[in-house]
Amino acid sequence: MSTPLTTTAPLTKREQAERAMRHSWFPVARSVDLATPEPAVLLGEQLVVFRDADGNARVTARRCPHRGADLSLGNVTGGSIGCPYHGWRFDGADGGCTYVPSLPDQSKIPPKAAIRSYPAVERFGHVWTVLEEPVVELYDPEEWHGHDLVWLAADPLNSPTGVAAAIENFRDVAHFPFVHQVSMGPTPEVVEPLQVRRDGIDVRMERPLDAGDGDWANQGDCMMAYHCTAPGFASISYHYEQAGLRVVAGFPSPVSYEQVKVFWGVANDRDFKGDSLEECLRVEEMVYLEDMPVVENLSPREVPWDAEVPEFSVPADLFTLNYRRAFAELMNRTARHVEAAGGVAP
């Protein structure tokens, strides 16, 4: 009797996108919020983010393996997060159980009692982590090298959209006259030819800003340098001839495939001569809040990677189309990475 052959079906583009995101860095908390442990969800994984006694940011699984309590309700002792239910403690660096109060002999701690720990890096006013071995390094835009940026992390926003849809909104310029009439004032409906360049998973574009008479008018005209990196980094660097450099950056973090928590913030060069960080954040938040009612009703909620619905593009979508190519490049890099590690590539 012959044994039937088994085959592994190729991954869909959506599945490739999800896998690529598991191997990519995302923020899970603001640095300023770590006075107490913070709960987080990244692609369905329940996490806790905390700062240990030495000041290090830590990210671990949130469920206590003893009886399932929520570790984000616990306390930090030294380098460990303590369970609020029975007091078990777990090391933030390696996840091992360090203390069980009910045991008279701590050498009897169950040897497999542990939680999963994840990498944690603080950057741009946020704590970043990655669920699987990262395919690329954490974002470090070269255009900010040599600048002493001071960051102000905004209140995160929840949006029922995917990461790519959120990034595309942040980078799209054709919607300005329809969505941002208050924050930007009147802007031309016709979009000039866009000068977009892609290098692997990075996409860049420069575009002059005519400040007009909206809330952006205070700082005057400038040159905007757009930059996004697949899957979830998008920034605008505003270069003012007199005032200097200011920045806004968005980092949508996938709670699930079709739900993001948009972490974002603003930064000014330390010697910036324009508006304060607080005022820059106020204006940029106005832009975000104008976007939300439109973006949260997109259909589908994420980019239709598998062409499940028809879409049509025009030259004004050039940045968006290059971002999708960048994301596809990230999918390919992830496939090669997984295959090299002994996994199954699509």
Side-chain angles (χ1 to χ4, degrees):
M1 181 177 179
S2 61
T3 302
L5 295 176
T6 59
T7 59
T8 301
L11 298 181
T12 64
K13 290 293 185 181
R14 168 178 171 156
E15 290 169 337
Q16 292 179 52
E18 289 182 280
R19 181 176 64 179
M21 288 190 290
R22 291 189 64 87
H23 288 268
S24 298
W25 292 88
F26 289 102
V28 285
R30 302 190 304 176
S31 293
V32 297
D33 292 331
L34 296 189
T36 57
E38 281 283 302
V41 182
L42 181 57
L43 289 167
E45 302 289 345
Q46 305 288 317
L47 308 175
V48 57
V49 189
F50 62 96
R51 193 178 301 285
D52 67 19
D54 292 327
N56 302 305
R58 300 297 189 189
V59 180
T60 70
R62 198 194 311 173
R63 179 185 178 274
C64 177
H66 174 220
R67 290 298 182 267
D70 185 342
L71 294 176
S72 72
L73 301 176
N75 297 312
V76 176
T77 302
S80 299
I81 181 77
C83 177
Y85 198 6
H86 300 96
W88 289 36
R89 297 178 193 164
F90 301 89
D91 186 86
D94 63 20
C97 184
T98 59
Y99 181 61
V100 176
S102 63
L103 277 177
D105 181 357
Q106 294 299 304
S107 68
K108 303 299 184 182
I109 293 176
K112 294 184 178 180
I115 56 177
R116 186 173 178 183
S117 62
Y118 299 87
V121 176
E122 290 191 76
R123 191 168 295 176
F124 316 133
H126 293 82
V127 179
W128 298 70
T129 196
V130 56
L131 297 178
E132 309 291 347
E133 184 180 3
V135 172
V136 293
E137 297 296 321
L138 179 54
Y139 311 109
D140 183 22
E142 62 184 21
E143 61 266 28
W144 297 344
H145 293 179
H147 291 275
D148 186 10
L149 292 176
V150 180
W151 283 89
L152 178 61
D155 291 332
L157 303 167
N158 293 303
S159 179
T161 57
V163 167
I167 290 290
E168 290 187 1
N169 167 249
F170 196 72
R171 288 284 62 84
D172 179 78
V173 297
H175 75 284
F176 292 172
F178 308 100
V179 179
H180 300 305
Q181 297 174 6
V182 174
S183 61
M184 299 183 188
T187 55
E189 294 185 6
V190 176
V191 176
E192 81 282 4
L194 301 177
Q195 304 302 313
V196 179
R197 60 191 187 278
R198 181 175 72 88
D199 179 14
I201 63 173
D202 289 276
V203 185
R204 292 180 171 86
M205 173 179 72
E206 291 187 351
R207 193 169 187 252
L209 170 65
D210 179 353
D213 59 3
D215 273 47
W216 281 13
N218 294 339
Q219 317 246 30
D221 299 344
C222 73
M223 180 62 72
M224 297 187 296
Y226 288 77
H227 181 192
C228 75
T229 307
F233 172 87
S235 70
I236 305 175
S237 299
Y238 299 86
H239 296 273
Y240 296 91
E241 186 174 344
Q242 300 299 325
L245 174 68
R246 77 175 182 90
V247 168
V248 61
F251 329 110
S253 184
V255 175
S256 65
Y257 183 74
E258 294 181 335
Q259 174 80 31
V260 295
K261 189 170 186 176
V262 182
F263 291 96
W264 68 283
V266 296
N268 288 351
D269 220 341
R270 193 170 294 276
D271 60 358
F272 185 69
K273 298 178 178 60
D275 289 339
S276 68
L277 273 173
E278 290 75 16
E279 175 60 16
C280 292
L281 188 143
R282 183 193 71 81
V283 174
E284 297 291 357
E285 185 175 50
M286 183 184 303
V287 176
Y288 264 113
L289 294 179
E290 288 171 340
D291 280 323
M292 297 300 285
V294 177
V295 176
E296 68 186 12
N297 286 291
L298 294 179
S299 177
R301 294 181 175 182
E302 179 58 303
V303 167
W305 294 114
D306 292 294
E308 57 268 30
V309 296
E311 285 192 332
F312 305 93
S313 299
V314 294
D317 300 308
L318 187 59
F319 199 105
T320 291
L321 296 176
N322 275 277
Y323 165 72
R324 294 189 183 189
R325 296 181 186 113
F327 205 128
E329 168 64 20
L330 179 66
M331 294 181 200
N332 291 334
R333 290 189 190 183
T334 305
R336 294 192 294 268
H337 176 84
V338 171
E339 186 175 26
V344 179

